């Protein structure tokens, strides 16, 4: 079911984000077909009170003198049904527009038509709103959405409340309901908040974060309901299966793929979580510590254990009792600590530094690394490695899941603005420029994955939030993309089709043959360029010379990366 923006006037560009002074609230609501703009009887005649027509829910919220929103809302997103009864719903909408033009002449209307025909179909309504709400949020970045649940069918009202309570509507927002005049005569207000207070996994997940996170400014929250790729959906499906089990989980993935995020997701979905630790649950970025300091961080110490130990201190193994312990950068754990951790993992016992006594702990272990398996096995003792990888999960790189970049960018740019303390109005992009940005990101190899997105986002915000010389959107995008490394070599469609067929052990696809002769030299050149870029990336990431990563040297890579293959190679 598609969300269709319908222009309210030729001058209104609905693909352009809308800002407002002081961040005025934005109304989002279905129209009430039986009671907008005025209440009607079952016979469709207007109901009267003191000879005057009784205002319907939308007018009551926007214009009633007792409504807290009177005069405060500058934009209203009005949803209406299309399908078989489109003409009827359009007539009601136009009646409402005519009255609003008189009572709220400065109000900007942003109508959206749902193509569905069954207003009782919860699933169809949910799918429509799941697509529609992110569009509305992008259009009004940072502004409070006033979600009016009174208009519409009971099914529409139910879906609104459930989406709000389970995290599908991005903050800031407020859910409200309005009361009819007959109810207000009995002491009810015009508008009142709706708070159900459902304790859901998603809400817990959104509120929790690890105690130590080396890249907290580069973390986004993942919503599996928004996933579009099979690869990412499969990872989270596996994570969901293992979350209830008290078995160690090893998360593999390149830097910036979201390993900390996945660990947080597993913890939030598991019974190994104490709500009191949600603000800072036990986690260690192992690469930040020496062997000695990491031992005190994990095991704690007794007073007098060493110079400066003037009091007892609990370690993370003590804190993690009944919860989850996350060890990031697993390959940086020293061998002596690995041996000590085996006892804690296997027996649930450990000793504080300077203490002869053993303490008990019952925790669930999650570890993560961006190292390849070949290097990891060189750094980690086999006994320890066997104990931490009872269950392995591998997060795909963004190169493998380009279809996820749309929603990821939305999450990243908002997170970057919050971190940089920049107003969210600067995060907005017209659809044309947004499309250009997405195309550029999908074409890049993004070796830093989500971290690369943050680098682009921060440069974009710097260009847009410059009060003296702000760049226009198109120039700001160009400036932002300079944050990325040189783009990966271009590969035409034929090269991609052949590479995919090779990887899957299939025959060459028929559409490729019909396109004409396969350009084998182009294909081989593309492959070499790809290998050159990747070998350089791996070499840089692991601080190794190229000839230790592959059986070729830097000179060969430079030859593979020549802009024109016809140029003479380096000798």
């Amino acid at each position: 079911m598609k969300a269709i923006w319908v222009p309210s006037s030729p001058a209104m560009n609905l693909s352009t984000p809308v800002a407002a002074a002081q961040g005025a609230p934005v109304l989002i609501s279905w129209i009430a077909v039986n009671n907008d703009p005025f209440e009607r009887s079952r016979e469709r005649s207007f109901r009267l009170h003191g000879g005057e027509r009784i205002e319907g829910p939308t007018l009551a919220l926007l214009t009633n003198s007792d409504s807290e929103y009177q005069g405060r809302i500058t934009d209203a997103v009005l949803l209406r049904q299309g399908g078989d009864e489109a003409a009827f719903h359009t007539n009601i909408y136009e009646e409402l527009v005519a009255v609003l033009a008189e009572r709220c002449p400065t109000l900007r209307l942003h109508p959206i038509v749902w193509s569905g025909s069954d207003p009782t179909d919860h699933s169809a309504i949910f799918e429509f709103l799941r697509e529609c709400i992110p569009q509305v949020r992008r259009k009004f970045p940072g502004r409070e959405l006033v979600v009016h649940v009174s208009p519409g069918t009971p099914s529409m009202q139910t879906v609104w409340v459930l989406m709000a309570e389970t995290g599908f509507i991005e903050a800031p927002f407020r859910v409200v309901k309005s009361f009819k005049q007959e109810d207000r005569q009995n002491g009810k207000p015009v508008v009142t908040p709706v708070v159900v207070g459902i304790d859901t996994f998603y809400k817990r997940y959104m509120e929790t974060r690890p105690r130590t996170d080396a890249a907290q400014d580069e973390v986004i929250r993942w919503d599996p309901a928004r996933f579009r790729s099979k690869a990412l959906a499969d990872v989270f499906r596996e994570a969901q299966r293992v979350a209830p089990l008290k078995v160690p989980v090893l998360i593999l993935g390149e830097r910036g793929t979201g390993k900390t995020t996945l660990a947080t997701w597993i913890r939030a979905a598991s019974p190994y979580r104490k709500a009191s630790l949600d603000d800072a649950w036990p986690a260690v970025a192992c690469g930040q510590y020496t062997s000695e300091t990491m031992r005190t961080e994990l095991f704690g110490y007794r007073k007098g254990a060493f110079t400066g130990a003037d009091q007892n201190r609990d370690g993370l193994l003590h804190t993690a009792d009944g919860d989850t312990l996350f060890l990031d950068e697993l390959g940086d754990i020293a061998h002596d600590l690995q041996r000590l951790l085996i006892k804690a993992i296997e027996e649930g016992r450990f000793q504080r530094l300077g203490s002869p006594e053993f303490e008990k702990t019952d925790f669930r272990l999650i570890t993560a690394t961006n190292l390849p398996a070949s290097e990891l096995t060189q750094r980690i003792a086999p006994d320890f490695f066997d104990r931490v990888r009872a269950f392995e999960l591998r997060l795909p790189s963004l190169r493998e899941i380009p279809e996820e970049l749309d929603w990821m960018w939305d999450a990243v740019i908002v997170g970057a603005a919050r971190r940089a303390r920049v107003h969210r109005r600067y995060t907005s992009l017209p659809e044309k420029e947004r499309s250009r940005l997405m195309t550029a990101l999908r074409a890049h190899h993004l070796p830093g994955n989500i971290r690369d997105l943050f680098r682009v986002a921060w440069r974009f915000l710097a260009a847009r939030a410059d009060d003296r010389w702000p760049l226009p959107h198109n120039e700001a995008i160009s400036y932002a993309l300079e944050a990325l490394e040189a783009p990966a070599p271009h590969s035409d469609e034929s090269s991609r089709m052949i590479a995919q067929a090779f990887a899957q052990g299939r025959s060459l696809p028929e559409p490729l043959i019909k396109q004409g002769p396969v350009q084998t030299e182009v294909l081989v050149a593309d492959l070499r360029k790809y290998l050159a870029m990747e070998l350089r990336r791996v070499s840089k990431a692991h601080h190794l010379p190229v000839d230790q990563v592959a059986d070729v040297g830097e000179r060969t890579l430079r030859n593979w990366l020549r802009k024109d293959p016809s140029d003479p190679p380096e000798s």
Side-chain angles (χ1 to χ4, degrees), residues 29 108-109 138 145 165 167 171 180 183 216 248 276 302 397 415 455 472 494 521 538 549:
S29 174
R108 292 176 291 200
L109 300 180
R138 285 199 298 270
L145 301 181
E165 286 292 315
K180 293 183 177 181
D183 296 319
Q216 194 60 254
S276 60
R302 290 286 297 272
S397 66
R455 290 166 59 210
S494 298
E521 290 188 8
V538 173
V549 176

Side-chain angles (χ1 to χ4, degrees), residues 211 274 277 282-284 294-301 313-327 337 340-346 348-353 358-365:
R211 174 179 176 272
K274 293 190 289 191
L277 296 180
V284 178
M294 187 172 172
R295 180 174 179 180
T296 61
E297 185 75 8
L298 287 172
F299 293 84
Y301 52 80
R313 178 181 172 182
D314 294 335
L316 290 185
L317 289 176
H318 173 88
T319 306
D321 184 33
D323 206 296
T324 299
L325 174 65
F326 178 47
L327 302 179
L337 278 179
L340 293 173
L341 281 169
I342 287 175
K343 181 177 287 290
I345 296 169
E346 287 287 293
R349 299 196 306 154
F350 70 97
Q351 287 176 289
R352 299 185 188 217
L353 193 64
F358 279 94
E359 296 183 38
K360 290 185 177 181
T361 182
D362 182 21
F363 64 93
R364 196 269 185 76
L365 179 66

Side-chain angles (χ1 to χ4, degrees), residues 121-430:
D121 187 336
H122 291 80
S123 177
I125 295 167
F126 170 77
E127 289 301 325
F128 163 70
L129 290 176
R130 187 170 73 164
E131 177 185 351
C132 172
I133 291 170
Q135 294 180 27
V136 173
R137 173 48 73 206
R138 285 199 298 270
K139 188 174 184 62
F140 304 101
R143 294 171 59 184
E144 182 183 67
L145 301 181
V146 179
V147 183
H148 189 196
V149 300
S150 294
T153 64
S155 298
M156 293 171 174
Q157 296 161 358
T158 300
V159 171
W160 268 137
V161 172
L162 289 176
M163 293 186 84
E165 286 292 315
T166 54
F168 280 94
I169 304 177
E170 182 185 329
F173 70 88
R174 191 182 190 198
V175 180
V176 301
K177 65 179 178 180
S178 56
F179 289 96
K180 293 183 177 181
Q181 181 162 321
E182 60 192 56
D183 296 319
R184 300 201 295 269
Q185 291 174 336
N186 297 324
K188 299 284 188 182
V190 176
V191 179
T192 187
V194 176
V195 180
V196 178
I198 301 174
D199 180 24
T200 65
F201 154 72
Y202 191 73
K203 289 169 70 174
R204 295 197 305 268
Y205 166 60
M206 293 297 287
E207 293 167 357
T208 185
R209 62 182 60 248
R211 174 179 176 272
T212 301
D213 183 3
Q216 194 60 254
D217 57 342
E218 295 167 353
V219 170
I220 60 173
R221 298 302 188 194
W222 298 55
D223 175 7
R226 304 177 72 179
F227 294 169
R228 294 294 177 265
S229 64
K230 182 178 184 300
L232 197 55
D234 285 349
V235 171
F236 273 77
R237 191 172 298 111
E238 288 289 281
Q240 187 172 20
R241 291 189 180 116
V242 74
L245 308 181
K246 190 177 178 291
V247 296
V249 177
L250 171 60
I251 303 174
L252 306 171
E254 295 180 7
R255 72 184 197 274
T257 49
K259 297 184 291 295
T260 298
T261 301
L262 182 57
T264 301
W265 195 94
I266 292 172
R267 174 186 177 271
S270 80
Y272 312 107
R273 164 191 168 265
K274 293 190 289 191
S276 60
L277 296 180
D278 279 353
D279 287 341
W281 63 278
V284 178
C286 302
Q288 294 182 344
Y289 297 90
T290 65
S291 176
E292 293 76 14
T293 57
M294 187 172 172
R295 180 174 179 180
T296 61
E297 185 75 8
L298 287 172
F299 293 84
Y301 52 80
R302 290 286 297 272
K303 180 179 179 180
F306 52 85
T307 303
D310 53 3
Q311 61 183 354
N312 294 337
R313 178 181 172 182
D314 294 335
L316 290 185
L317 289 176
H318 173 88
T319 306
D321 184 33
D323 206 296
T324 299
L325 174 65
F326 178 47
L327 302 179
D328 197 9
E329 304 173 39
L330 177 67
D332 291 321
I333 300 178
H335 277 262
D336 59 333
L337 278 179
Q338 293 176 28
R339 290 192 296 272
L340 293 173
L341 281 169
I342 287 175
K343 181 177 287 290
I345 296 169
E346 287 287 293
E347 303 176 15
R349 299 196 306 154
F350 70 97
Q351 287 176 289
R352 299 185 188 217
L353 193 64
S355 173
E357 301 175 353
F358 279 94
E359 296 183 38
K360 290 185 177 181
T361 182
D362 182 21
F363 64 93
R364 196 269 185 76
L365 179 66
I366 302 177
T367 58
T369 181
N370 60 13
L371 296 176
S374 58
E375 185 172 350
L376 196 59
T377 53
Q378 294 177 10
R379 295 196 184 191
I380 295 181
D383 285 348
F384 182 63
F385 195 32
D386 289 341
R387 285 166 171 82
V388 299
R389 61 167 185 162
F391 205 98
E392 287 187 14
L393 297 171
R394 191 189 79 84
L395 277 168
S397 66
L398 295 192
R399 297 184 299 283
E400 300 172 78
I401 50 173
E403 57 268 52
E404 307 290 357
L405 283 172
D406 275 303
W407 71 263
M408 282 190 182
W409 173 256
D410 291 340
V412 163
I413 191 67
V414 170
R418 182 171 56 247
R419 175 72 178 183
R421 298 184 181 179
V422 170
H423 195 283
R424 281 182 56 170
R425 67 176 178 274
Y426 295 114
T427 67
S428 62
L429 264 177

